[in-house]
Amino acid sequence: MAEAHQAVAFQFTITPEGIDLQLSHQALRQVYLSGLRSWKKRVTRLKNNVITGVYPASPSSWLFVVIAILATMYTRSDPSMGLIAKIQEHLPVGDSLSIQCRTVVSAVLFSTLLWLLLIFTMRLCLKQLLSYHGWMFEQHGKVSNTTKVWAAMVRIFSGRQPLLYSYQGSLPNLPVPAVKDTVKRFLESARPLMSDSDYEKMTTLAKEFESSLGNRLQWYLKLKAMWASNYVSDWWEEYVYLRGRGPIMVNSNYYGMDFLYVTPTPIQAARAGNTLHACLLYRRKLNREEIKPSRVPVLNVPLCAAQCERIFNTTRIPGEETDSLIHWQDSEYVAVFHRGRYFRLWLYHAGRMLSPREIEQQIQRIMDNPSPPVPGEAKLAALTAGDRIPWAQARKEFFSSGVNKRSLDCIEKAAFFVALDDDEQGMRGDDPAGNLDRYAKSLLHGKCYDRWFDKSFTVVVYKNGKNGLNAEHSWADAPIMAHVWEYVMTTDSFQLGYTEEGHCKGDVASSLPPPTRLTWDIPAECQERIERSLAVAQALADDVDFHVLPIQEFGKGDIKKCKISPDAFIQIALQLAYYRNRGTFSLTYEASMTRLFREGRTETVRSCTSESCAFIRALEGGESKEVCRRLFRTAAEKHQHLYRMAMTGGGIDRHLFCLYIVSKYLGEESPFLNKVLSETWRLSTSQTPLQQVELFDFVNHPDYTTCGGGFGPVADDGYGVSYIIIGENMINLHISCKHSCPQTDSHKFGADIKKAFEDLLELMSPEKLDPSKAEQNHSKKSKKDL
């Protein structure tokens, strides 16, 4: 009842004398402060929209143009070449203004139009400059004069101190490749994986497609590219993610880990306090657009920030045919799960953000709450882990009205979801490697009912203070969430910190209302649906074989000594490991971003090439080191070229995917596209780049090493591999496959990858001088000196 009274701003009773109002001044004050905070956010958003809207100019530049035009007019010259006089003639003010006032108004109008024209011209010039990607194909360490001039012009037209979304209007649109170029590149990628007869058949299908249906489909795609901001992203989000009817747990969602060797505090509530407060700090910076736009290193080329808009306050809503993503402008609370119960935790009080210590206290209140879950509540989130159609039907049937709808709305409209886990996780105990694997599996799927897999992300805090996150994939790609998590981890440890006892710092307001327990009325039929979804999810989770492999014996520093791109080195090592593991080559997926373009997401790099296969055959066939080195460098250069092509809009798979979608809309069947889109990615890989290097100090704080994150296997008989390069001396690998496939084993594949790294480093390292030869050389040098 206490919560109910605090939620009501006033009470009234009807008496014979009339209506008696009893106002709660404290509650009204909270309403006023909350509204004031909301209006401050609206004003900030409006100001940022103005600044972003006129970028690369600034709002103050308008005043400069107006003053310049007026000053020029007072020197009896007309910079408008008669346009100001024309405007003056058509002003709808009649004789109400003097001639001098009308002249000034006309000059201001002309200045504003001139200013807008200059902004449009600058933005167009910047867009054309950002369409140049020749810099990416230049040899590492060598910058051409053309690129130097281009980089200088980009800096000139970029203005000063851009906000997060300042570059959005200046980013180029993703180009549509020519059909013949895409077909040619596809056949090149397919050659090492096909027999001569299969390749000949595929070539025939490709040529038929290119000369007939392909051109017709391409016309529709070009029309879409002219109209839409990005011809791929909306269809990619809908058909790859939202229309999937299977479980998103394991199959789509991914996870991020805590520091590998350090747990800043063993107190669960305290770790949650700092983590949640750091998330709010990031969201405040996001709302104010104070986060610096992401850029490609070295030349500082801006990347699209559109995916950042849906980090918080976003939920995936199930549907029978397709899901949908719903984003709310703001949310002042999070939904918390603990021991089968759901709570609403307000993160703002009296118009201000709760301190870490206050959030810790509120979390502790939830943990101390002795109330048991009501029937069906404990495993309710299993609906989000199972198949989508049963969840959509159950949502419509049991959660569309009454108390269940109110509680479900509370979860879906929350800023994000928080899971307080009773287990202890991390790299600990007598079996650190095994516990690290179990930690990864826990973040990926948990108990299948203790994560709300539909939320944009779930923060998981374990009993021993370890934390992590599980993120839904449709709204954005992993680098966006990784950027948030890097900020949260470093802010938690290096800025907020803890007391000597392990508690959060700060004071606690005595008037904080306790978190609100969500209520449910779940009938027996709905409970049966929950159990069925849980059975589907549990079978999927039990089948996942996961292995996390931190490699500290070597890293990026050793690879760079070989004068090879670290990513190319790792990708070829994965090819070598897979060949040794399975005795064959496989179609390989490597994710590459296309955020150089507006609303860009990802493209596929087909890492298994004729060049990499030739190198591996030579190495395994016992060819000389000189031959293997030459083939290895050729394979690495080919990989780098493919990666650059993917980043600059010259990829294969997104173009073919969109052509396939158009063919389905037209009701046209393409044997070529059907064959391409049915290929199985038995080796799916992705690098998680460390984006905010300045936040980490691996020299003074080497133990504060991020472990990165991972994802589930894409194919039933394949591997999923995520890797992150940490500093100069560490590479962390996350390897997944399925127990049900007898040909896959994550631990064995991890050992194969590590061995491949060692073999490639040994192959590419400088020749070590034989001791006997060194002694002979020393003897000759001594005689010469005598």
Side-chain angles (χ1 to χ4, degrees):
M1 290 299 293
E3 298 94 87
H5 284 300
Q6 290 164 351
V8 178
F10 61 90
Q11 302 171 358
F12 68 92
T13 56
I14 298 178
T15 66
E17 289 77 20
I19 297 177
D20 179 24
L21 288 174
Q22 297 179 358
L23 296 177
S24 171
H25 295 287
Q26 182 180 3
L28 286 176
R29 182 173 181 272
Q30 297 300 324
V31 171
Y32 164 74
L33 292 173
S34 179
L36 184 63
R37 173 182 170 271
S38 179
W39 276 104
K40 284 181 179 179
K41 289 188 64 177
R42 292 180 186 179
V43 171
T44 301
R45 192 177 294 118
L46 177 62
K47 181 190 72 173
N48 289 340
N49 287 340
V50 171
I51 295 174
T52 300
V54 302
Y55 191 84
S58 63
S60 60
S61 63
W62 173 82
L63 185 61
F64 174 80
V65 174
V66 171
I67 293 173
I69 295 296
L70 291 174
T72 306
M73 291 182 63
Y74 278 109
T75 61
R76 298 185 180 279
S77 60
D78 185 5
S80 71
M81 295 181 289
L83 287 176
I84 293 179
K86 288 287 185 182
I87 295 173
Q88 186 175 345
E89 291 176 7
H90 294 85
L91 281 178
V93 292
D95 297 329
S96 59
L97 291 177
S98 65
I99 295 177
Q100 187 175 7
C101 286
R102 278 184 285 174
T103 302
V104 171
V105 171
S106 301
V108 171
L109 287 174
F110 172 77
S111 302
T112 302
L113 292 174
L114 178 63
W115 180 64
L116 293 174
L117 180 62
L118 290 172
I119 291 172
F120 175 78
T121 304
M122 291 179 66
R123 184 171 290 184
L124 186 62
C125 290
L126 182 57
K127 190 171 186 176
Q128 292 300 316
L129 287 169
L130 295 178
S131 298
Y132 167 75
H133 299 121
W135 56 272
M136 190 173 291
F137 294 89
E138 293 178 351
Q139 188 175 349
H140 182 69
K142 295 182 179 179
V143 182
S144 66
N145 291 331
T146 302
T147 298
K148 290 178 181 178
V149 172
W150 167 81
M153 294 183 68
V154 168
R155 284 194 294 270
I156 291 172
F157 283 97
S158 290
R160 293 183 176 181
Q161 297 178 341
L163 298 177
L164 176 61
Y165 302 117
S166 291
Y167 288 107
Q168 292 304 103
S170 302
L171 290 172
N173 290 359
L174 182 68
V176 182
V179 172
K180 64 176 183 179
D181 293 338
T182 298
V183 169
K184 179 183 177 182
R185 287 194 285 265
F186 167 76
L187 291 174
E188 183 182 346
S189 71
R191 186 65 190 95
L193 302 171
M194 290 183 174
S195 64
D196 292 342
S197 59
D198 289 341
Y199 182 72
E200 186 176 347
K201 292 177 183 177
M202 180 60 80
T203 301
T204 302
L205 291 176
K207 295 302 180 183
E208 290 176 357
F209 172 78
E210 180 185 338
S211 60
S212 56
L213 181 60
N215 291 325
R216 184 183 172 199
L217 302 179
Q218 180 80 345
W219 185 86
Y220 285 96
L221 213 53
K222 286 185 175 180
L223 188 63
K224 185 191 178 189
M226 294 171 59
W227 177 253
S229 301
N230 190 294
Y231 81 92
V232 176
S233 294
D234 58 337
W235 284 351
W236 185 254
E237 179 179 297
E238 179 179 358
Y239 292 103
V240 171
Y241 293 114
L242 298 180
R243 281 186 180 261
R245 301 294 80 199
I248 61 174
M249 182 199 78
V250 175
N251 293 329
S252 179
N253 285 30
Y254 57 92
Y255 68 87
M257 278 185 161
D258 194 5
F259 292 117
L260 185 59
Y261 303 113
V262 173
T263 305
T265 176
I267 302 175
Q268 185 177 18
R271 191 72 196 281
N274 267 9
T275 301
L276 269 59
H277 186 79
C279 287
L280 294 181
L281 292 177
Y282 188 94
R283 187 175 71 163
R284 185 169 67 183
K285 290 169 70 72
L286 185 69
N287 291 337
R288 296 176 178 177
E289 298 187 35
E290 294 173 351
I291 296 171
K292 295 179 181 179
S294 297
R295 301 171 186 265
V296 177
V298 184
L299 292 176
N300 291 323
V301 182
L303 301 176
C304 179
Q307 296 178 55
C308 298
E309 296 173 355
R310 298 187 292 187
I311 295 175
F312 297 93
N313 327 320
T314 299
T315 296
R316 177 170 174 161
I317 304 296
E320 293 194 28
E321 292 186 3
T322 181
D323 293 354
S324 57
L325 284 171
I326 305 297
H327 173 74
W328 290 269
Q329 283 293 334
D330 193 20
S331 180
E332 297 189 351
Y333 66 89
V334 292
V336 181
F337 178 88
H338 178 250
R339 292 183 180 174
R341 297 91 43 83
Y342 291 85
F343 296 83
R344 183 209 302 258
L345 171 58
W346 293 97
L347 297 175
Y348 292 85
H349 179 71
R352 64 170 178 83
M353 187 189 305
L354 294 189
S355 69
R357 187 70 181 88
E358 289 171 330
I359 298 176
E360 177 188 350
Q361 183 198 58
Q362 297 291 73
I363 293 292
Q364 192 61 53
R365 284 179 171 179
I366 291 174
M367 295 168 61
D368 293 341
N369 188 314
S371 61
V374 301
E377 180 183 13
K379 299 178 180 179
L380 174 64
L383 290 171
T384 69
D387 291 323
R388 303 305 292 174
I389 294 177
W391 171 209
Q393 293 171 341
R395 188 178 188 276
K396 183 178 180 180
E397 188 172 348
F398 303 108
F399 299 91
S400 58
S401 62
V403 63
N404 288 345
K405 184 181 188 304
R406 289 194 295 272
S407 295
L408 181 62
D409 283 347
C410 178
I411 294 174
E412 293 180 340
K413 294 180 180 179
F416 51 93
F417 194 79
V418 180
L420 301 176
D421 206 306
D422 273 345
D423 295 334
E424 295 186 358
Q425 297 291 352
M427 194 175 182
R428 59 189 176 80
D430 299 331
D431 182 19
N435 286 329
L436 192 58
D437 296 343
R438 286 182 278 275
Y439 175 29
K441 274 180 64 69
S442 175
L443 287 173
L444 183 64
H445 53 68
K447 297 181 179 68
C448 303
Y449 58 80
D450 52 355
R451 320 273 186 262
W452 198 269
F453 294 100
D454 286 354
K455 284 300 292 181
S456 55
F457 68 97
T458 295
V459 172
V460 183
V461 186
Y462 293 99
K463 186 177 180 180
N464 60 338
K466 212 69 181 171
N467 70 5
L469 65 87
N470 180 288
E472 202 275 322
H473 208 326
S474 63
W475 61 272
D477 300 308
I480 303 300
M481 202 63 237
H483 194 278
V484 180
W485 198 237
E486 288 172 10
Y487 177 89
V488 169
M489 286 195 299
T490 53
T491 301
D492 166 23
S493 298
F494 301 132
Q495 296 184 27
L496 300 177
Y498 299 89
T499 65
E500 292 182 359
E501 294 79 18
H503 292 284
C504 296
K505 298 178 180 178
D507 300 322
V508 179
S510 58
S511 59
L512 286 180
T516 308
R517 171 81 186 274
L518 301 187
T519 55
W520 308 90
D521 181 14
I522 303 175
E525 185 181 351
C526 183
Q527 294 178 38
E528 292 176 4
R529 305 268 188 97
I530 293 171
E531 290 296 332
R532 286 200 292 269
S533 290
L534 179 59
V536 171
Q538 194 67 60
L540 179 61
D542 291 343
D543 198 20
V544 175
D545 177 18
F546 224 102
H547 181 41
V548 181
L549 178 62
I551 298 177
Q552 293 179 292
E553 292 82 358
F554 45 82
K556 182 172 66 174
D558 299 289
I559 297 173
K560 287 192 297 186
K561 291 177 183 177
C562 304
K563 297 182 180 180
I564 297 289
S565 158
D567 185 68
F569 183 97
I570 293 173
Q571 283 293 325
I572 296 173
L574 293 176
Q575 295 292 317
L576 176 59
Y578 187 90
Y579 183 80
R580 290 171 172 175
N581 187 270
R582 301 289 292 272
T584 185
F585 296 106
S586 171
L587 184 65
T588 303
Y589 183 109
E590 181 188 4
S592 165
M593 63 93 176
T594 55
R595 290 169 60 205
L596 288 169
F597 303 96
R598 189 171 184 178
E599 297 183 16
R601 292 200 58 165
T602 61
E603 178 58 273
T604 304
V605 181
R606 294 181 167 231
S607 300
C608 184
T609 63
S610 297
E611 290 79 1
S612 65
C613 293
F615 160 70
I616 291 170
R617 288 193 181 99
L619 182 67
E620 296 300 282
E623 293 285 349
S624 65
K625 280 193 173 183
E626 289 72 17
V627 172
C628 291
R629 285 173 179 168
R630 175 175 54 80
L631 292 174
F632 183 59
R633 293 194 182 279
T634 302
E637 289 171 5
K638 179 66 175 181
H639 177 270
Q640 284 299 94
H641 177 75
L642 291 178
Y643 200 95
R644 291 161 180 160
M645 288 293 292
M647 286 184 64
T648 55
I652 301 169
D653 290 275
R654 298 302 178 269
H655 185 206
L656 294 175
F657 163 77
C658 289
L659 291 172
Y660 178 79
I661 298 299
V662 175
S663 73
K664 289 301 180 183
Y665 277 126
L666 297 178
E668 297 280 0
E669 283 296 323
S670 170
F672 170 70
L673 291 177
N674 290 338
K675 182 75 172 175
V676 173
L677 271 295
S678 64
E679 292 177 324
T680 303
W681 304 96
R682 289 187 175 84
L683 183 55
S684 182
T685 71
S686 178
Q687 179 184 176
T688 306
L690 191 62
Q691 301 169 74
Q692 302 167 91
V693 182
E694 69 279 2
L695 299 181
F696 296 87
D697 185 356
F698 297 123
V699 176
N700 297 319
H701 302 282
D703 290 339
Y704 286 84
T705 298
T706 175
C707 196
F711 54 89
V714 174
D716 292 338
D717 58 347
Y719 291 104
V721 181
S722 174
Y723 55 94
I724 181 171
I725 301 172
I726 306 294
E728 296 293 308
N729 303 305
M730 189 173 188
I731 300 172
N732 287 333
L733 294 157
H734 301 252
I735 306 163
S736 63
C737 61
K738 292 192 174 182
H739 289 295
S740 57
C741 177
Q743 287 82 33
T744 58
D745 185 313
S746 64
H747 290 76
K748 184 179 184 304
F749 192 48
D752 291 336
I753 295 173
K754 188 174 182 180
K755 182 66 166 59
F757 282 163
E758 294 170 349
D759 291 346
L760 293 183
L761 282 173
E762 182 181 358
L763 172 69
M764 299 305 296
S765 61
E767 288 282 2
K768 296 180 181 179
L769 191 62
D770 186 76
S772 60
K773 292 183 179 179
E775 187 176 347
Q776 292 175 6
N777 291 337
H778 178 73
S779 175
K780 291 178 180 179
K781 184 178 179 181
S782 300
K783 290 180 180 179
K784 185 178 179 181
D785 292 340
L786 289 173

